[in-house]
Amino acid sequence: MRERERESEREDSHILTSRHPHTLSHQKPTPTISHTLHTQQSTCFIATLCVCVCASVRHSTMHSCGWLMSLSLIALAGNTVAAAAYKRTERNCSLSPPYLPSTAVNTTLQLQELREQMLHQNIYAYIIPGTDAHLSEYIAPRDARMAFMTGFTGSAGTAVVTQTKATLWTDSRYWVQAERQMDCNWELKEDVSIISLAAWLISEVPSGGRIGFDPFLFSLKTQEDYVLNLDSSNRSLKSIPENLVDKVWNDKPSIGAENLTRLPDRVIQRSWQIKVEQIRNQMRDNPYQPTALLLSALDETAWLFNLRGSDIPYNPFFYSYTLLTMDKIWLFLHMNRVTEELKEYLNTSCEESLCVQLESYETVRKHLEEYVAQPGVKVWIGTEYTNYALYEIMTPQDKLMTTSYSPVLTTKAIKDDTEQRILRDAHVRDAVAVIQLLMWLEKAVPEGKETELTASEYVNMCRSKQSDSRGPSFESISASGPNAALAHYSPTNVTSRRLTPDEMYLVDSGGQYLDGTTDITRTVHWGTPTAMQKEAFTRVLMGNIEISRTIFPSGTRGVNIEMLGRRALWEVGLNYGHGTGHGVGNYFGVHEWPVGFQSNNIPFREGMFTSIEPGYYKENDFGIRIEDVAVVVPVQTKFGHNFLTFETVSLVPYDRKLIDTSLLSSEQLQWLNKYYETIRELLGPELDKQGLREEKDWMLRNTEPFLSPGSSASVCSSSLTLLALAIALLHNII
């Protein structure tokens, strides 16, 4: 799904950064320039040889020589185009002078200035993570320090600078992108583990040397892992709260001036006062008796107070922290963005237990330090989102209580009745926009004028026309042919491919609406798919269905279900290198933790929403992903009680020509037909309401039931039988 980066398979506790569900889709770099030039030279030799042959063979006809020369020239032209295409993509630092594409960024000046700052701090190396002080998946442009230093704009990675070297560490999703964007000041490390990064630091930093880092950009776990791996090497970390990159970033973007907004009453069931008391009750019931709760993740404060902002692209969040006690509420934010109306809404003019005290965003560390200095206090933090700068001042340890996630995140994960209803409603309207895209592409692609980029723009336009639209929920992944084999590819003016009927097309997109956040992926083919493509697609669909239809006890962890999404692929030796799903919110981030199918996600409960998104990617050929959002609902079983299943709320049919029903079990086919009935039942009235007759006809055609395993996914068996009878009858009449 897109450039949205919460890494999903964090089984290894030493992963650097990134929390995206689609991780580690392994790719190989495109051929080197030397290889391309060698191929061109070989082609030229062949062409020359053809000329000699034609000249020397007396009885060669002009036609046969022309044919041979044409083949040679085609090969030559093809390789010339390939070389030209290469020059628009990746760097080659082995040439003299090095070759840099137009997308590469010159980083010489910022490296020089950063190294001067490092000398002042007496450090031998400086670590630059690709996150912000809230350990967010998506970050604002002003927090893109790694991108400023390296030129690399991928959202998963860590940069390290010494006085003589500069390295970027990222996973396989971004190797090609890094080679396109970085200049030759930087070396790419195709790894993501702190173990490897620490080993490299030990080899580059002399014994006794110190390694600087910004504690606001380190999680507790990240800091612990570095210390663990450097501990016996006589190298140490130095916490530097004032970020060194900021000191050399002269044109760093400023914070937006937009005011914060509150959600309208029609989309909320619980007021912020009710939510505060719910969280305080959990604090009272906790046996460790915390006196305060620190909220660091941006969606925690936004959820608690039913507020939204615009500081982070695609995410309606604002920079904030909250410190909640039994009788006080401190909200740390940029106060110039709080209107008088919001101050009244938050009861800022009083000092009682349900009155919010507004404090400057920059004072949170000082305020927290003063609070923990008091006797008898204990602060509850969620370690997944609390940065090390705030953690390190909460000493001694008896002043601290930790869980992986705060009670706000675990409470927010279970939607109340209103949140469930409106999130379902948002997916109905979103399905209209996606169907408009797919219907338009069916008509437009054969004309040969549309590209990955125009398709991405079109679906955004369709969503913008739906009620309560607030823009896309992430940068769309619109990918055709080999680009779709890159799980997180997004088109640009340079990379966008023309869409053709001969290639598979994958579109992973989503919308923000006032009542919900959506995320859906469909893969289609407008021509004739290969047998391999059809089987791979069907097996991905089987994985989606198997998870969707499974029944499990309440409290089951997603990691114990996840393999159902892979089993059909595993049976034929296929797999995918990313996670299988993530939580989804109500006008929040498109990846809402801690719900999902990973080992560090919380158990499934009724009312949770998650994506289900298996896939398959054939390198340099095509990519497949089928992603739906589903809600966890109770299910009646013959004997047991308190069992759950998933109910799909995404309402867009799958590409019929890519489904081989002979591979589906009767249970899978039954589920598919029932899903299509649901699409007709829920989406039909909405299409009627919007007066979209053509879109409704398209939906009805593409949700016709599949009658039996082995029947055609394009034309049902009964239709074929009727056609055969009609032909026979006509023949007899004639």
Side-chain angles (χ1 to χ4, degrees), residues 31-81:
T32 63
I33 287 180
S34 59
H35 173 81
T36 304
L37 293 177
H38 175 75
T39 305
Q40 286 183 270
Q41 292 166 358
S42 299
T43 308
C44 291
F45 172 76
I46 293 172
T48 303
L49 182 61
C50 290
V51 174
C52 294
V53 169
C54 288
S56 61
V57 179
R58 179 176 302 175
H59 299 290
S60 296
T61 65
M62 183 64 69
H63 174 76
S64 61
C65 282
W67 174 79
L68 187 59
M69 283 295 297
S70 296
L71 287 179
S72 302
L73 291 173
I74 289 170
L76 176 59
N79 282 282
T80 302
V81 170

Side-chain angles (χ1 to χ4, degrees), residues 229-249:
N229 285 279
L230 295 172
D231 188 44
S232 60
S233 69
N234 197 28
R235 281 88 171 167
S236 61
L237 292 177
K238 179 182 179 181
S239 175
I240 307 174
E242 189 173 4
N243 192 279
L244 299 188
V245 174
D246 289 351
K247 289 188 173 186
V248 304
W249 194 355

Side-chain angles (χ1 to χ4, degrees), residues 140-162:
R142 69 187 316 272
D143 290 314
R145 299 175 179 89
M146 181 181 69
F148 168 73
M149 289 303 305
T150 67
F152 168 67
T153 59
S155 55
T158 298
V160 183
V161 177
T162 69

Side-chain angles (χ1 to χ4, degrees), residues 518-532:
T518 68
D519 183 6
I520 184 171
T521 307
R522 289 296 181 262
T523 305
V524 297
H525 198 302
W526 300 292
T528 303
T530 66
M532 167 63 179

Side-chain angles (χ1 to χ4, degrees), residues 238-473:
K238 179 182 179 181
S239 175
I240 307 174
E242 189 173 4
N243 192 279
L244 299 188
V245 174
D246 289 351
K247 289 188 173 186
V248 304
W249 194 355
N250 297 325
D251 57 349
K252 178 179 176 179
S254 59
I255 297 173
E258 296 85 356
N259 291 330
L260 308 185
T261 60
R262 55 169 291 194
L263 292 176
D265 292 339
R266 65 183 172 88
V267 299
I268 60 174
Q269 179 173 317
R270 292 169 287 181
S271 67
W272 71 260
Q273 292 92 338
I274 291 175
K275 291 180 177 180
V276 164
E277 289 305 323
Q278 285 181 324
I279 301 304
R280 281 174 170 163
N281 287 336
Q282 293 186 51
M283 294 167 63
R284 291 187 187 98
D285 294 341
N286 193 288
Y288 295 100
Q289 295 297 295
T291 62
L293 172 68
L294 176 66
L295 303 179
S296 295
L298 296 181
D299 57 341
E300 292 177 311
T301 291
W303 177 86
L304 186 65
F305 296 108
N306 294 325
L307 296 176
R308 298 295 186 269
S310 56
D311 289 344
I312 313 297
Y314 308 112
N315 295 264
F317 301 145
F318 55 97
Y319 289 112
S320 58
Y321 295 94
T322 297
L323 185 62
L324 175 67
T325 70
M326 296 302 179
D327 57 2
K328 294 287 185 182
I329 308 171
W330 290 284
L331 173 55
F332 302 87
L333 75 177
H334 297 97
M335 290 189 288
N336 62 312
R337 305 169 67 190
V338 182
T339 64
E340 291 301 318
E341 179 186 357
L342 282 185
K343 289 179 181 178
E344 182 179 352
Y345 165 74
L346 295 170
N347 298 334
T348 61
S349 60
C350 58
E351 295 187 4
E352 298 173 3
S353 63
L354 289 175
C355 301
V356 179
Q357 311 304 311
L358 299 182
E359 302 288 345
S360 173
Y361 175 81
E362 291 79 11
T363 65
V364 61
R365 181 172 157 120
K366 178 177 180 294
H367 192 102
L368 184 61
E369 196 168 16
E370 292 173 353
Y371 180 81
V372 297
Q374 302 176 57
V377 300
K378 180 179 291 187
V379 182
W380 185 354
I381 65 170
T383 58
E384 286 288 323
Y385 288 99
T386 302
N387 63 57
Y388 188 75
L390 300 183
Y391 171 82
E392 68 180 348
I393 64 175
M394 288 186 275
T395 55
Q397 286 295 308
D398 60 5
K399 300 275 189 178
L400 189 65
M401 174 193 154
T402 64
T403 53
S404 294
Y405 304 103
S406 79
V408 166
L409 283 183
T410 55
T411 302
K412 178 168 65 71
I414 300 175
K415 313 305 179 191
D416 61 35
D417 292 342
T418 297
E419 290 168 335
Q420 291 185 46
R421 174 180 56 80
I422 63 176
L423 190 48
R424 288 173 180 267
D425 290 345
H427 279 83
V428 174
R429 301 194 307 278
D430 192 74
V432 174
V434 178
I435 283 176
Q436 288 177 317
L437 167 73
L438 297 178
M439 189 180 75
W440 172 72
L441 287 174
E442 281 186 3
K443 298 177 182 178
V445 167
E447 297 178 1
K449 297 179 181 180
E450 303 308 327
T451 66
E452 296 168 336
L453 202 54
T454 60
S456 177
E457 294 166 349
Y458 192 88
V459 74
N460 288 342
M461 181 269 292
C462 292
R463 284 192 169 99
S464 71
K465 295 181 179 180
Q466 295 299 313
S467 62
D468 288 333
S469 174
R470 294 297 184 270
S473 56

Side-chain angles (χ1 to χ4, degrees), residues 624-641:
I624 299 166
R625 186 159 61 251
I626 300 174
E627 177 184 18
D628 295 305
V629 171
V631 58
V632 180
V633 296
V635 63
Q636 296 295 323
T637 59
K638 185 175 182 179
F639 300 111
H641 302 284

Side-chain angles (χ1 to χ4, degrees), residues 603-622:
F604 281 121
R605 305 287 183 188
E606 180 183 351
M608 292 180 173
F609 282 73
T610 183
S611 71
I612 300 172
E613 48 184 303
Y616 171 69
Y617 310 89
K618 186 177 181 183
E619 189 174 10
N620 295 322
D621 194 349
F622 63 87

Side-chain angles (χ1 to χ4, degrees), residues 149 246 273 278 339 389 441 491 512-513 517 557 603 630 652 655 703:
M149 289 303 305
D246 289 351
Q273 292 92 338
Q278 285 181 324
T339 64
L441 287 174
Q512 290 286 12
Y513 302 90
T517 303
R557 290 185 175 274
V652 178
D655 189 347
T703 54

